[in-house]
Amino acid sequence: MSTLPAPGPGSDAPTSAPPGADRQPRRRVAPALRDTTRGISKVARRIPRAAWICALIAFLNASAWSIITPPFQGRDEIDHFAYIAHLAEQHSLPHSLSGPPNYPTEEKLVLEGLNYWQVRFTPYTPSISSVAQQQALTSDVNAGDALYGAEGGNASSEPPLFYVLQLVPYEIGSGNVLVQLQLMRLLSALIGGITVLLTFLFLRELLPSVPWAATIGALCVALQPQFAFVSGSLNPSVLLYALSAAVFLCLARGFRRRLSARLAVALGATIAAGFITYFSFIGVAVGALIALAILATRDARSRGRGALLAPALATGISVAPVAAYVVRNALVGSSLSGATSTVGGAINLQSLFHEVSYIWEMYLPRLPGMTRYFAGISTWKDIWFDRSVGLYGWMDTMLPPWVDNLALILAVGVLALCGREMLINRASLRARLPELAGYAAIAIGLLTMLGITSYVSDVINHELAYGESRYLLPLLPLLGAVVALAIRGAGRRWMPVAGAAIVILFVGHDLFSQLQVIARYYG
Amino acid sequence: MQRSRVGDISGHTCADARRAASKVGDAVFLRLRLLVGRTGTFGKSPPQPRDPGVPRLVSYRLLPSRANFAEMCFGETRESDGQGPTFTSTDLSATQMDREDQSPDREGRAPSSTAPQRRAWTPAAKASATFAIGIALIAIAGALTLTNAPPRLVRIGAPGIKAINSNGAPSIGRTFGDATVCQSGEVLPAGVSAVRLSLWAFYGAPVHLVAYSGSRPLIEGRRGAEWTSDSVTVPVKPLARAVPGAKVCLTIAPNSEHISILGTETSPSQAASIVEGGSPQLLEGRLAIEYLAPGRRSWWSSVLAVARHVGLGRAFAGTWIALLIAALMAATVVLSLRLAMRELG
């Protein structure tokens, strides 16, 4: 990493400044900018090269996925694009839809040129395949129709942070919808790289005595095809993953060292950013606040009440956007919880048992006495595992069932090795129970939030259940930890073999998933 | 504190540590090593008879415990205590170790004739071998996959009915529970190996398909609940000859999900029927059914066509896009393997 040259003595002296009326402002701005750059450079230099390589691998992998997946065939991409177009063209947030989605004219034209409506959901209908279709698409793209005036798509109720970031590629690629979309996908891939970087740092905090654990764990995360697919598409989930990884990192540093004021501000700001990125982050945030409470209790016991200041600071910063949202809703006279009111309204004591049953069955086998919500489906296998192995495109591209079954055997092997390692090191694990409880709280928070949302949609509104593996990807840092522990669990003799085998499995999984998607769209 | 991989050796050799280790793993790797025709680390030349002028590795001060030798051999990182020479495990190349094996031991005994069988692999060699095997398996699996042919469509729906697949097909009915849908007047083509049914579901349900000629079952197939989107393909045993006038029945059970039945609207006389909770009812039309047979052109023969196809539907169309994808995939794989090799080795 290159660094800025250190300022020499007297470099800020008036004689070194250029003459002119703006001398004073420049003198104030330049050192501040230099300090900031130097600070960033210093932090970047402290990050190991392996972390940067892992991030680069994630970016390259996601970039490959971004080109493989045909335009707008990523999950909900049409809606996210419409949101950004609304934000860019009308300089305002789209309103929640009361009727069917209403897309900008230019976007609709391009969708027709791409045969979008015929291709999506239909695994055996390929993308456009003739030169004539390409020419028609080119004329659609260059038609210069409006990207403004539409109400927006189904994503209109989502918070804006991700969409605001995507305004940059939108403006750079202005004039060509397909270029805009590809640039937005590349920004998502970059965010995916950052997620892997944060995962690396989290694993280094988690397993500091095993130097390779962070590299191999982060590498496997970078090669995870479901993550790479989402990172290569236009979807706010990508930022959700990055922020979740940052939350894991901050908590790990807090548990392993102590929650300093600077770390508390970082954690609070990360959670706050999550709130304005994606509603699903609420689950992660609740878990993170529980973890923060555990951390505060531990620190208060050892260092007295003064240690509560940092957790209080983190909590205060993190809930600030929620407070602002509630105040804003109160001012405009809508429901205080806004778009989340439907979810909140579903939680009541009368239906609590049904909700708990539903959430339980969403992930685990039904217990006696529970209502049967998922007849004929083994949810943990058919929904979560199989779809984690492969569910690409517009939810229409899966790997063959035998691959899922083979993957299950391999996954059980990895989990067994991980379990072995945890069993061997149970004494040290016991000492770190509060930390593990914190991570478990995040996982449970996310799964519960997902379960409640699905209950409302599926049981109350008779719409779709929420069963996509991408919802679990905020827990990617834990996947990296499982991989690292599994390799250690193989024992010293077999460690290199297990490590290499797991890496090659992820490589193979990624490659064959890409080939499957190529076969589906271009075969 | 100086951080290094400790090779503090004071009385035991790496070979001692290997002898102390179990023989099973070594035997497996020895066989692999023999299989690839090498006696040293991958990429290194076989060890030469020891030159008496070359100082032995045991001239270093040694650690007392065998466990520490295992650490040395398998690259465990420790903090150096600053006493005695330290070096990294990568400094201890397999060639040196092999040389050591062929030299007399501390008591002056000559190495036994079975010495090569006791050789342990370095972590780098183990990781290399695993990567080599893994890459070979991926290549073989990829090549075999490409020799397969994608299934080809041999018939859509029944004769006399407007051909339609689920693209734009209207919903002719739906179910939220167990159901059996039957449709008469289907022609089962010869050699059909799978039947694609146009059902839309977010969570699929188990599907059991039987095609009858009269009351005699002709083909049968099952599919689990792992499917989603707007079609489910059920594999069946191929028929030797085409059979007209067949009745196709599919049972969706157990089910508690919303499943839409897609097809084309017809007169009631031609419509499919559904049995849901005991009472048969007519659907609003015919279910879209497609019959698939094994393809004739392998993926290998379609590679160029696929590459051209990949280049379409873009802002800047061209076959170069396929090359760009291949380059990105290759860069990902190479970087990953190099990084993993460096860490694990």
Side-chain angles (χ1 to χ4, degrees):
Chain A
M1 277 287 176
S2 62
T3 56
L4 287 175
S11 61
D12 292 337
T15 49
S16 65
D22 58 343
R23 182 189 295 172
Q24 289 302 317
R26 269 198 198 180
R27 278 177 57 205
R28 276 198 295 273
V29 170
L33 191 66
R34 201 163 50 209
D35 288 347
T36 309
T37 316
R38 201 183 304 153
I40 293 170
S41 173
K42 193 177 167 188
V43 170
R45 261 184 286 132
R46 281 165 54 190
I47 296 173
R49 200 172 65 157
W52 292 111
I53 297 174
C54 286
L56 175 65
I57 290 168
F59 174 72
L60 291 175
N61 196 22
S63 299
W65 275 98
S66 78
I67 304 170
I68 290 170
T69 310
F72 294 108
Q73 289 296 333
R75 184 78 163 91
D76 295 330
E77 271 190 321
I78 53 167
D79 301 295
H80 301 310
F81 187 91
Y83 191 120
I84 297 159
H86 191 284
L87 206 56
E89 307 292 341
Q90 290 167 243
H91 308 293
S92 65
L93 295 177
H95 298 291
S96 293
L97 285 178
S98 50
N102 178 8
Y103 302 107
T105 314
E106 176 66 20
E107 187 183 349
K108 280 195 280 193
L109 203 58
V110 172
L111 292 176
E112 280 172 27
L114 288 164
N115 279 359
Y116 170 81
W117 303 105
Q118 289 76 33
V119 174
R120 84 161 185 180
F121 285 142
T122 317
Y124 45 89
T125 303
S127 65
I128 62 167
S129 56
S130 71
V131 176
Q133 286 174 315
Q134 174 66 37
Q135 284 167 348
L137 174 67
T138 306
S139 68
D140 289 341
V141 168
N142 296 323
D145 273 354
L147 277 166
Y148 58 85
E151 283 181 41
N154 287 321
S156 300
S157 58
E158 290 292 343
L161 182 58
F162 174 77
Y163 304 106
V164 170
L165 293 177
Q166 290 289 2
L167 285 176
V168 177
Y170 182 92
E171 293 297 340
I172 293 172
S174 185
N176 187 321
V177 168
L178 295 179
V179 172
Q180 286 173 318
L181 180 67
Q182 185 57 45
L183 290 176
M184 289 178 195
R185 285 178 169 188
L186 288 177
L187 177 60
S188 293
L190 195 63
I191 298 171
I194 293 169
T195 306
V196 169
L197 188 73
L198 294 167
T199 301
F200 180 100
L201 299 176
F202 165 72
L203 292 172
R204 203 171 61 151
E205 289 291 332
L206 196 69
L207 300 163
S209 62
V210 193
W212 51 261
T215 311
I216 301 299
L219 181 59
C220 290
V221 168
L223 294 169
Q224 212 283 333
Q226 193 70 42
F227 167 66
F229 161 68
V230 180
S231 297
S233 62
L234 179 63
N235 199 306
S237 300
V238 179
L239 189 55
L240 171 70
Y241 306 153
L243 292 170
S244 301
V247 166
F248 274 107
L249 172 62
C250 290
L251 285 173
R253 284 181 79 93
F255 276 110
R256 300 292 291 166
R257 305 168 193 207
R258 71 179 184 85
L259 192 66
S260 63
R262 187 184 285 185
L263 189 59
V265 170
L267 178 58
T270 305
I271 297 174
F275 277 127
I276 54 173
T277 296
Y278 208 50
F279 279 129
S280 298
F281 189 82
I282 294 171
V284 175
V286 169
L289 291 176
I290 292 171
L292 199 58
I294 295 170
L295 186 57
T297 311
R298 191 198 68 175
D299 286 358
R301 276 184 190 159
S302 60
R303 295 191 294 120
R305 287 185 183 175
L308 294 176
L309 199 61
L313 182 65
T315 309
I317 295 171
S318 62
V319 299
V322 180
Y325 187 60
V326 170
V327 169
R328 177 248 183 206
N329 287 338
L331 289 175
V332 299
S334 63
S335 164
L336 288 184
S337 51
T340 58
S341 58
T342 50
V343 175
I347 304 169
N348 58 65
L349 283 177
Q350 284 81 15
S351 64
L352 189 62
F353 176 73
H354 295 289
E355 284 155 13
V356 171
S357 297
Y358 183 91
I359 295 168
W360 177 275
E361 289 177 48
M362 218 173 137
Y363 307 104
L364 296 165
R366 187 175 68 96
L367 297 178
M370 287 181 169
T371 311
R372 184 183 290 274
Y373 284 106
F374 301 99
I377 300 174
S378 173
T379 48
W380 69 270
K381 166 75 169 56
D382 295 332
I383 305 300
W384 301 111
F385 185 79
D386 289 357
R387 294 182 179 193
S388 295
V389 172
L391 181 65
Y392 310 109
W394 233 112
M395 291 174 49
D396 53 20
T397 310
M398 296 183 82
L399 293 167
W402 69 265
V403 176
D404 299 332
N405 296 334
L406 176 66
L408 182 60
I409 295 169
L410 297 170
V412 167
V414 169
L415 284 178
L417 287 175
C418 177
R420 179 177 183 267
E421 176 64 14
M422 292 176 84
L423 196 67
I424 290 169
N425 291 305
R426 56 188 176 278
S428 47
L429 274 182
R430 209 170 292 130
R432 294 175 67 176
L433 267 183
E435 185 184 356
L436 297 179
Y439 304 144
I442 294 177
I444 292 169
L446 179 71
L447 298 180
T448 306
M449 176 68 194
L450 198 53
I452 293 170
T453 317
S454 185
Y455 178 81
V456 172
S457 172
D458 185 14
V459 179
I460 295 180
N461 297 338
H462 301 292
E463 292 172 354
L464 300 178
Y466 282 58
E468 288 177 66
S469 53
R470 69 188 170 101
Y471 296 132
L472 303 183
L473 293 182
L475 304 178
L476 271 176
L478 299 184
L479 171 71
V482 167
V483 166
L485 289 173
I487 296 171
R488 266 183 73 113
R492 201 165 282 164
R493 170 175 292 270
W494 292 98
M495 215 181 279
V497 177
I502 289 176
V503 169
I504 209 82
L505 268 178
F506 274 83
V507 167
H509 184 195
D510 191 35
L511 285 179
F512 282 104
S513 297
Q514 288 174 329
L515 291 177
Q516 182 75 4
V517 174
I518 288 172
R520 180 257 181 268
Y521 286 111
Y522 312 105
Chain B
M1 276 265 183
Q2 183 187 356
R3 194 166 180 79
S4 69
R5 291 170 191 266
V6 172
D8 186 8
I9 31 183
S10 61
H12 298 273
T13 63
C14 193
D16 291 334
R18 290 197 295 273
R19 281 184 209 109
S22 92
K23 298 287 186 281
V24 180
D26 285 351
V28 171
F29 280 106
L30 183 68
R31 282 176 193 284
L32 281 172
R33 199 150 69 163
L34 292 172
L35 196 67
V36 296
R38 290 193 186 275
T39 52
T41 306
F42 276 82
K44 304 229 178 204
S45 55
Q48 302 301 313
R50 184 176 174 244
D51 181 350
V54 175
R56 283 196 61 210
L57 195 63
V58 289
S59 60
Y60 289 99
R61 192 168 62 81
L62 302 182
L63 275 181
S65 79
R66 284 177 174 177
N68 284 329
F69 272 97
E71 285 175 3
M72 177 187 74
C73 294
F74 294 106
E76 184 77 358
T77 301
R78 301 178 128 253
E79 296 289 337
S80 166
D81 58 7
Q83 297 171 3
T86 59
F87 58 96
T88 64
S89 65
T90 48
D91 296 331
L92 185 66
S93 70
T95 311
Q96 284 173 297
M97 294 163 75
D98 291 335
R99 202 177 288 152
E100 177 192 27
D101 278 336
Q102 302 209 358
S103 62
D105 64 14
R106 278 181 297 142
E107 284 75 39
R109 289 191 294 265
S112 69
S113 59
T114 57
Q117 291 180 3
R118 292 199 303 268
R119 276 183 204 138
W121 280 40
T122 61
K126 287 180 177 181
S128 298
T130 311
F131 279 130
I133 292 168
I135 292 166
L137 286 176
I138 288 175
I140 291 167
L144 287 176
T145 305
L146 292 177
T147 55
N148 289 333
R152 67 194 159 90
L153 191 60
V154 288
R155 182 180 290 281
I156 301 176
I161 302 296
K162 184 188 170 193
I164 189 167
N165 61 23
S166 60
N167 282 337
S171 171
I172 55 165
R174 59 182 182 171
T175 178
F176 289 92
D178 298 358
T180 298
V181 177
C182 286
Q183 183 160 292
S184 304
E186 290 290 314
V187 177
L188 302 182
V192 60
S193 59
V195 179
R196 192 155 59 204
L197 307 162
S198 291
L199 304 174
W200 191 95
F202 186 65
Y203 286 174
V207 174
H208 180 208
L209 179 140
V210 186
Y212 299 92
S213 173
S215 59
R216 184 169 60 93
L218 293 171
I219 54 172
E220 183 187 9
R222 289 178 188 276
R223 180 73 191 263
E226 74 285 342
W227 59 277
T228 183
S229 82
D230 74 355
S231 69
V232 52
T233 302
V234 183
V236 295
K237 199 174 170 184
L239 280 173
R241 58 183 179 80
V243 178
K247 183 166 87 171
V248 173
C249 289
L250 56 127
T251 303
I252 306 165
N255 175 46
S256 59
E257 297 302 310
H258 171 190
I259 294 178
S260 292
I261 301 161
L262 309 176
T264 182
E265 290 174 5
T266 61
S267 62
S269 61
Q270 292 181 305
S273 65
I274 184 168
V275 179
E276 212 175 1
S279 55
Q281 287 179 322
L282 282 180
L283 291 170
E284 292 171 15
R286 290 183 71 86
L287 166 70
I289 302 178
E290 294 172 315
Y291 299 94
L292 308 172
R296 291 175 182 145
R297 287 187 69 199
S298 73
W299 284 109
W300 279 120
S301 60
S302 309
V303 164
L304 277 179
V306 170
R308 285 192 202 101
H309 192 169
V310 166
L312 298 173
R314 320 278 176 177
F316 307 104
T319 309
W320 63 272
I321 288 175
L323 296 175
L324 176 63
I325 292 171
L328 286 169
M329 289 163 80
T332 304
V333 172
V334 169
L335 272 176
S336 303
L337 295 185
R338 283 194 63 167
L339 182 64
M341 189 64 222
R342 197 185 74 181
E343 293 292 318
L344 295 168

